[in-house]
Amino acid sequence: MSYYKTVGPAKLSLMYAAGEDTTANNNAGDLISFAADMKFDDLTFALAYQDIEVGANPATTAAKVVVGYKLGASSVGIAMEKIDEDGSPDLTNTMLSLKHQLDDSNTIKFTFGDAEDLIPGINDPSMMALGFDHKINDSATMFAYWADGSDDGLAADAGLVGEATVLAL
């Protein structure tokens, strides 16, 4: 079940999914999700929260805060996420992104991300990426990006484990 509502500058969404099909282990748990985003001229805020409980598995909750600002042809954004899974150390993800539109067709982008897993003696994953977009027309864009990750920093996005570097065209 989903509910969407616009209240002033805010867009709100609420979702609830319940499952009782434990025989096939499909939809065996409950999910509650809430999100809100607001835009004031060139400033953007977003909040999200999710709670998942699946059968005997530990409950997982996640909260995310995003702030973005656009100044002329440039924009900056920061996202912070905290994930709490019962029985595991909390995980805190931070992402910083910068974008600058060079002209009507070309844009450069930079992103840095870090995950702090609070496990002593284990290095935290991180990643950095640099990208270039060239708009060919309204329905086609050519892009290239380079990404470098340490300690599984690219495992989730690119499936690369350990130290990894990617160049994509």
Side-chain angles (χ1 to χ4, degrees), residues 19 27-29 68 73 90 155 158:
N27 301 321
D90 290 353

Side-chain angles (χ1 to χ4, degrees), residues 75-137:
S75 58
V76 61
I78 188 165
M80 295 183 300
E81 176 182 46
K82 184 167 179 119
I83 301 171
D84 179 21
E85 184 173 2
D86 289 351
S88 298
D90 290 353
L91 178 65
T92 302
N93 297 319
T94 305
M95 183 78 66
L96 172 69
S97 65
L98 305 168
K99 180 173 89 169
H100 180 72
Q101 189 166 349
L102 300 169
D103 55 37
D104 289 342
S105 299
N106 299 301
T107 303
I108 57 173
K109 301 174 182 179
F110 171 80
T111 301
F112 175 79
D114 183 64
E116 182 182 343
D117 57 21
L118 303 177
I119 300 174
I122 295 179
N123 293 333
D124 295 332
S126 65
M127 62 82 67
M128 178 176 55
L130 184 62
F132 176 79
D133 291 356
H134 175 72
K135 182 178 175 184
I136 297 169
N137 58 40

Side-chain angles (χ1 to χ4, degrees), residues 57-68:
N57 294 332
T60 301
T61 59
K64 185 180 288 189
V65 177
V66 179
V67 178

